[in-house]
Amino acid sequence: MPPTPDPAAGAARTPRTALAELLAGNRRFVSGQPVHGHDVTAAAAVASGDQQPYAVVLGCIDSRVPLEAIFDQTFGSICVIRTGAHVLDRAVLGSIEYVVGQLGVPLVMVLGHERCGAVGSAVEALRTGQRPGGSLAYVIDRIAPAVTEVGAEDPDAHPLAIRRHVRRTVATLRADDLLAGPVVAGEVAVVGALYDLATGEVALLAEEGPEK
């Protein structure tokens, strides 16, 4: 059974220590030596105690990227939000604002992943000029600027747009009215990262530079 969380642990965490803790969990996952594994029993849920998450991870709905598992996290440790290609809307932004403002979470991670289907659909839509119908069009429209910036006709548009879309999402969150102040003060960090489907590794994206 996982240990009961330390009530004081959340208060002591900083953006730097929160990021280190999250990436350490991914290393355990990749090495096949998780601490928590897939302990999803009711007993594990009860043992989680009060909610004291140290990070919120915004990721994609892709079924191959279960966020708690790839970071080796247990109940109560991280908040997870998943949308197609981590697209932001007001509900997502409000949820992140709540977690940061009310729960004191010091780290927001935007996690993209290789071979993202939603980004691939956006690339195809811009190349063909055929915009999908329904609410899927909203998702495609939110990804489209990243595709346009890297060039829809570029042979590597798909992987390049995945990275650019992560960086654009990070920039949007850092500029959010309720997040910008804590970010500037160093109380909260918003970082972008990429998950490799082949290896299971999570790599932080550089702040600026070419999409490689």
Side-chain angles (χ1 to χ4, degrees):
M1 179 181 297
T4 301
D6 179 358
R13 290 189 175 107
T14 65
R16 183 185 296 273
T17 60
L19 181 59
E21 189 167 347
L22 200 60
L23 295 178
N26 178 245
R27 288 193 295 272
R28 294 194 301 271
F29 168 75
V30 172
S31 69
Q33 298 178 318
V35 172
H36 304 291
H38 289 272
D39 186 2
V40 292
T41 63
V46 172
S48 65
D50 293 334
Q51 179 176 209
Q52 297 175 335
Y54 69 87
V56 54
V57 181
L58 172 59
C60 182
I61 60 170
D62 195 296
S63 61
R64 300 166 294 179
V65 193
L67 298 180
E68 289 91 346
I70 67 174
F71 288 111
D72 186 32
Q73 300 298 305
T74 189
F75 290 90
S77 57
I78 63 174
C79 293
V80 166
I81 303 172
R82 299 175 69 175
T83 65
H86 53 79
V87 161
L88 292 171
D89 62 17
R90 292 186 66 184
V92 173
L93 281 169
S95 298
I96 294 174
E97 290 171 351
Y98 171 79
V99 170
V100 171
Q102 301 299 315
L103 301 183
V105 167
L107 177 69
V108 181
M109 176 179 281
V110 178
L111 183 67
H113 68 91
E114 302 287 4
R115 307 199 301 276
C116 178
V119 175
S121 295
V123 172
E124 184 66 15
L126 266 67
R127 284 177 175 173
T128 64
Q130 297 180 353
R131 184 172 178 267
S135 295
L136 176 57
Y138 175 88
V139 175
I140 298 302
D141 289 347
R142 301 286 79 74
I143 304 169
V147 180
T148 299
E149 288 178 7
V150 302
E153 300 306 321
D154 189 311
D156 293 324
H158 190 183
L160 293 176
I162 288 170
R163 289 155 176 76
R164 183 62 62 89
H165 182 51
V166 170
R167 290 190 172 101
R168 286 179 58 87
T169 306
V170 168
T172 299
L173 288 170
R174 288 176 177 171
D176 178 77
D177 289 344
L178 297 186
L179 300 179
V183 168
V184 170
E187 300 167 355
V188 174
V190 183
V191 301
L194 197 69
Y195 177 70
D196 191 323
L197 293 171
T199 66
E201 294 182 357
V202 171
L204 294 177
L205 290 182
E207 291 296 307
E208 301 291 343
E211 311 300 334
K212 296 182 178 178

